[in-house]
C-alpha cells in the first residue's frame, strides 16, 4: 500500500459556536446562533488533500467515544483512510469565531501517532508537527507545522531535524515565540537559514516566505468578509502538498496555497472550508494562476 500523503498531526473534534455575539467575560453569558461539530486539527489537512485529489491517510489516534466515531465517519465520507489504534478519549477544541479572529479552548489527552503506522503506508509525503519529525520515513517529503505548544517548547532552539523539512509552516505569533525575532520577516529569515522552504502566515495580510534563501511575499486573496478562520493554516499546508505533488514551481505553489487558505474562511469550520479540486481550479484560473495539467499528463 502507498498513499500520496499521510497526515500525522493530532485530530480533534471541533465544537464551533456559529454567530457568536461576543466573547463572555467572567460571570457573563453570551449566545451563539448554532453549534457545529466537525473534524479539526490534522483532520482538516487530511480532508483538504483528499478533496484536492491526493490519496490520503490520517495517522492520528482518535477516541473510542462518540467524537471519534464522528471523525471517522466524516473522514470516510471525504475519502480519507484513518489508520492507527484508537485511544480512550478524542481531543476536543471549542472554537469561538468572531469577525476575522477566533478564540479556542482545547482538551488534549496527548496520545500521538506511531512511526510504524506511518511507514507501513509508504507515503510520498508526511504532514507532521515539529516535535515529531521522527515519524517521517526516509525518502518521504516532510511538511512540518508549528503550533503554539511546539513554538514554546523549541523557543530559541530549532531542532536540527527541521533541516529535513520540505516545508515548514508557522503563524506569525508562533514564529516570533520560536525565534525571538521582532518581525515575521526576520523570523522567516532566521528559520530559512536552517530550513529550505519556510512560510510564515500573516492571516488576512497573506504570508511571507523564504525559499532557498530568497524572500517572497504573497497577499491574501479577497473573498469577502471572513466567517471563520479556523483551519486556514491547515488548508494552506494541504494545498502546498497538492502543488508540490503536481510539480508546480515553488512560487506558484505558494500562491495556490494562499488562495486555498483564503477561500476557506467563507464558511464556519475548517473542514467545511476545504474547497473541492474543480472549484479550486476554477477560482485559481479566474485569478490568473497557472493551472497544472492532470497528474497523468505531467510526464508527457
Amino acid at each position: 500500500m502507498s498513499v500520496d500523503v499521510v497526515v500525522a498531526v493530532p485530530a480533534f473534534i471541533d465544537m464551533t459556536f456559529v454567530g457568536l455575539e461576543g466573547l463572555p467575560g467572567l460571570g457573563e453569558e453570551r449566545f451563539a446562533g448554532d453549534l457545529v461539530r466537525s473534524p479539526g486539527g490534522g483532520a482538516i489537512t487530511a480532508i483538504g488533500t483528499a478533496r484536492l485529489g491526493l490519496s490520503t491517510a490520517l495517522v492520528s489516534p482518535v477516541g473510542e467515544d462518540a467524537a471519534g466515531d464522528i471523525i471517522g465517519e466524516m473522514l470516510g465520507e471525504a475519502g480519507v483512510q484513518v489508520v492507527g489504534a484508537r485511544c480512550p478519549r478524542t481531543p476536543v477544541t471549542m472554537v469561538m469565531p468572531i469577525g476575522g479572529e477566533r478564540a479556542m479552548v482545547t482538551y488534549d489527552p496527548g496520545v500521538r501517532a506511531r512511526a510504524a503506522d506511518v511507514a507501513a503506508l509508504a507515503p510520498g509525503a508526511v504532514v507532521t508537527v515539529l516535535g515529531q519529525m521522527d515519524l517521517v520515513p526516509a525518502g518521504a517529503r516532510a511538511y512540518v507545522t508549528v503550533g503554539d505548544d511546539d513554538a514554546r517548547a523549541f523557543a530559541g532552539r530549532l531542532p536540527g531535524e527541521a533541516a529535513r523539512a520540505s516545508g515548514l509552516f508557522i503563524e506569525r505569533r508562533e514564529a516570533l515565540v520560536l525565534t525571538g525575532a521582532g518581525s515575521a520577516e526576520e523570523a522567516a529569515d532566521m528559520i530559512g537559514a536552517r530550513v529550505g522552504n519556510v512560510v510564515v502566515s500573516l492571516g488576512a495580510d497573506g504570508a511571507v516566505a523564504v525559499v532557498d534563501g530568497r524572500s517572497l511575499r504573497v497577499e491574501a486573496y479577497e473573498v469577502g468578509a471572513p466567517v471563520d478562520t479556523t483551519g486556514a493554516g491547515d488548508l494552506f499546508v494541504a494545498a502546498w502538498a497538492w502543488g508540490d505533488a503536481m510539480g508546480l514551481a515553488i512560487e506558484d505553489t505558494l500562491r495556490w496555497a494562499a488562495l486555498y487558505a483564503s477561500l476557506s474562511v467563507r464558511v464556519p469550520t475548517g473542514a467545511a472550508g476545504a474547497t473541492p479540486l474543480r472549484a479550486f481550479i476554477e477560482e485559481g484560473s479566474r485569478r490568473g494562476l497557472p493551472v497544472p495539467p492532470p497528474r497523468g499528463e505531467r510526464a508527457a
Side-chain angles (χ1 to χ4, degrees):
M1 178 187 296
S2 178
V3 298
D4 293 323
V5 179
V6 161
V7 179
V9 175
F12 296 75
I13 189 76
D14 281 355
M15 306 291 288
T16 302
F17 292 94
V18 178
L20 188 64
E21 61 183 15
L23 292 180
L26 292 177
E28 295 181 338
E29 181 178 16
R30 300 287 185 175
F31 290 89
D34 200 357
L35 177 63
V36 179
R37 297 179 299 183
S38 65
I44 297 173
T45 304
I47 290 172
T49 54
R51 287 186 181 164
L52 293 177
L54 302 181
S55 59
T56 302
L58 175 76
V59 180
S60 174
V62 295
E64 296 175 328
D65 52 17
D69 292 340
I70 291 169
I71 291 174
E73 180 180 350
M74 295 183 75
L75 289 180
E77 292 172 353
V80 177
Q81 301 178 56
V82 180
V83 177
R86 298 184 72 165
C87 59
R89 295 181 64 183
T90 299
V92 180
T93 296
M94 308 303 292
V95 184
M96 294 160 277
I98 299 177
E101 268 299 344
R102 85 276 193 213
M104 297 183 291
V105 178
T106 293
Y107 163 74
D108 180 3
V111 182
R112 295 295 183 259
R114 299 180 302 191
D117 292 331
V118 176
L121 294 165
V126 177
V127 180
T128 188
V129 296
L130 185 59
Q132 288 198 286
M133 291 286 294
D134 60 306
L135 294 177
V136 184
R141 297 184 301 281
Y143 305 121
V144 179
T145 64
V146 186
D148 179 73
D149 52 348
D150 275 344
R152 287 184 281 106
F154 292 102
R157 54 183 188 91
L158 187 68
E161 294 86 356
R164 294 179 54 204
S166 300
L168 185 147
F169 308 90
I170 187 169
E171 304 283 333
R172 171 168 38 196
R173 187 176 69 84
E174 284 79 8
L176 301 185
V177 171
L178 179 66
T179 63
S183 69
E185 291 79 5
E186 182 185 355
D189 287 338
M190 292 174 67
I191 300 170
R194 302 274 301 279
V195 181
N197 301 316
V198 56
V199 179
V200 179
S201 172
L202 307 178
D205 295 324
V208 293
V210 173
V211 175
D212 295 328
R214 294 178 292 127
S215 296
L216 303 173
R217 185 181 182 106
V218 61
E219 300 297 329
Y221 289 85
E222 179 58 49
V223 296
V227 174
D228 184 1
T229 60
T230 305
D234 302 302
L235 293 173
F236 186 105
V237 177
W240 185 284
W242 168 81
D244 208 358
M246 298 303 292
L248 287 171
I250 199 77
E251 294 87 349
D252 294 328
T253 296
L254 180 63
R255 294 161 65 200
W256 277 103
L259 175 61
Y260 204 56
S262 294
L263 293 172
S264 74
V265 306
R266 301 175 297 176
V267 295
T269 82
T275 304
L277 179 60
R278 178 174 294 182
F280 182 43
I281 293 294
E282 290 174 355
E283 290 279 1
S285 179
R286 186 164 60 84
R287 290 170 168 84
L289 297 183
V291 178
R295 295 182 74 185
E297 300 177 11
R298 284 185 291 133

